[in-house]
Amino acid sequence: MASITSSNSQASLLRVCMHNPTVNMLRERNEVFTREYIPNWLAYAGYASLSIIAIIVIPIMFRQAKWYYVVVAYVLAPVLGFSNAYGTGLTDMSMSYNYGKIALFIFAAWGGKDDGVIAGLVGCAIVKQLVQVSADLMHDYKTGHLTLTSPRSLLVGQAIGTVMGCIVAPSTFLLFYKAFDIGNPDGYWKAPYALIYRNMAILGVEGFSALPKRCLELSVACFAFSVLVNLVRDFSPQKYRNYVPLPMAMAVPFLVGANFAIDMCVGSLVVLAWHKMSRKEATLLMPAVASGFICGDGIWMFPSSLLSLAKVNPPICMKFTPGS
């Protein structure tokens, strides 16, 4: 009797799959994705091996980062990585930077006045990268599931990309570092996040006493203003929401300078005019235009860096200065 019931259930499932392409496709995806199972021992062994390498190498590179700091970071990372991967899957937003900031404060306070700043920054980088990788790998596996790609092929590709990144990323950084004045607050490449994270590390070491006068009060006031503006935007009628500014967008020029705000203003005016002339065409082509601008600007960085290394200066330079 049980075998007859089981056969009937399988036959019903087969009929559903045949008449429902979505169910059939999902079943095929699951079969392909689970066919090449990645054993748990491989994950454990790989993580342990990389942890041992990091525990040995990182204290040699940064003497302020003690070996037990690295151990704690590698112990914390899997728990935080699971949480971040789960949250990223639900919201499509990675919170790895926030986890890294938490680690920064912990290691900066642990390191004390002598070693706290460097130890905090190193600990932040370790935790942030480990947590970020988990979310990225989850995204890759989801894409592989949708495209009927082998999980083992994805893992091998991830490993190859990581090895390439270990070579390409430092080389690119050195190229930019030698070609441009990185970190100059008056230059083009201000590297604002470097200053932000350094100040956060100092704050973790010295506490609120390290902040400039009235800095905490100003930050709290801006925080309250941001919350209030967002509440007004969320609860306003739909036709008025576009006229309420976004605090996040307002904050960007404070970090990267007014030139970014000018660029955004010009682009927004072009988009507004395009919408007025042809809304349908603008909606359809705006992503392509934006992608072209971003791609072109990014590709130009490489020849620009080579010209800078060769001491070739642009013939014209425009600069905004305050009036006398």
Side-chain angles (χ1 to χ4, degrees):
M1 185 68 179
S3 60
I4 295 175
T5 304
S6 176
S7 300
N8 291 336
S9 300
Q10 292 176 359
S12 300
L13 179 61
L14 182 60
R15 284 195 298 272
V16 170
C17 292
M18 291 176 61
H19 295 288
N20 192 336
T22 303
V23 174
N24 195 20
M25 186 178 298
L26 180 60
R27 184 181 180 185
E28 184 180 1
R29 287 171 178 167
N30 292 338
E31 288 179 355
V32 172
F33 197 73
T34 57
R35 186 183 303 155
E36 296 185 2
Y37 176 72
I38 300 173
N40 290 332
W41 67 265
L42 181 62
Y44 298 145
Y47 191 79
S49 302
L50 294 175
S51 301
I52 293 172
I53 295 174
I55 292 169
I56 297 173
V57 173
I58 290 178
I60 297 175
M61 297 174 62
F62 306 96
R63 62 172 183 80
Q64 296 87 349
K66 309 301 181 184
W67 65 268
Y68 43 86
Y69 294 173
V70 183
V71 172
V72 173
Y74 269 83
V75 170
L76 286 175
V79 179
L80 301 178
F82 176 81
S83 302
N84 186 56
Y86 181 75
T88 304
L90 293 176
T91 64
D92 202 30
M93 292 186 297
S94 176
M95 304 298 288
S96 59
Y97 288 94
N98 292 332
Y99 290 116
K101 291 171 186 175
I102 295 173
L104 187 150
F105 285 118
I106 293 174
F107 288 109
W110 192 0
K113 286 190 175 182
D114 295 331
D115 302 331
V117 174
I118 301 299
L121 292 173
V122 172
C124 169
I126 295 173
V127 173
K128 181 261 172 188
Q129 284 304 120
L130 291 174
V131 171
Q132 178 68 33
V133 165
S134 64
D136 291 342
L137 191 59
M138 184 273 299
H139 269 159
D140 293 341
Y141 277 134
K142 182 59 180 177
T143 304
H145 179 262
L146 294 174
T147 57
L148 301 176
T149 305
S150 165
R152 293 186 181 180
S153 299
L154 285 172
L155 186 62
V156 172
Q158 189 87 4
I160 294 174
T162 302
V163 173
M164 292 176 60
C166 293
I167 300 172
V168 174
S171 303
T172 305
F173 171 77
L174 289 175
L175 177 63
F176 271 74
Y177 192 75
K178 291 182 178 181
F180 303 108
D181 189 12
I182 305 294
N184 183 1
D186 298 323
Y188 183 77
W189 302 97
K190 297 179 177 62
Y193 275 98
L195 181 62
I196 291 174
Y197 276 81
R198 179 180 178 275
N199 289 337
M200 289 173 61
I202 294 174
L203 181 63
V205 173
E206 300 183 9
F208 291 121
S209 60
L211 294 174
K213 188 178 180 181
R214 303 299 180 189
C215 178
L216 186 60
E217 291 85 346
L218 184 61
S219 297
V220 172
C222 292
F223 172 79
F225 172 78
S226 177
V227 173
L228 179 62
V229 171
N230 279 294
L231 287 174
V232 172
R233 182 182 178 87
D234 290 341
F235 288 99
S236 296
Q238 185 67 35
K239 60 180 179 180
Y240 297 121
R241 288 183 183 178
N242 292 333
Y243 298 99
V244 180
L246 287 171
M248 183 71 72
M250 294 170 61
V252 172
F254 288 91
L255 294 176
V256 299
N259 60 318
F260 182 82
I262 295 173
D263 299 338
M264 293 290 290
C265 181
V266 173
S268 299
L269 290 175
V270 172
V271 171
L272 181 62
W274 198 356
H275 269 284
K276 293 293 184 182
M277 292 186 294
S278 177
R279 176 178 293 273
K280 185 177 180 180
E281 184 184 68
T283 304
L284 182 64
L285 296 179
M286 270 195 310
V289 174
S291 300
F293 276 127
I294 295 171
C295 184
D297 192 47
I299 291 176
W300 168 246
M301 288 298 102
F302 181 70
S304 176
S305 61
L306 295 180
L307 291 173
S308 180
L309 285 174
K311 307 300 181 183
V312 178
N313 296 318
I316 299 175
C317 182
M318 183 173 63
K319 182 178 181 181
F320 295 95
T321 57
S324 57

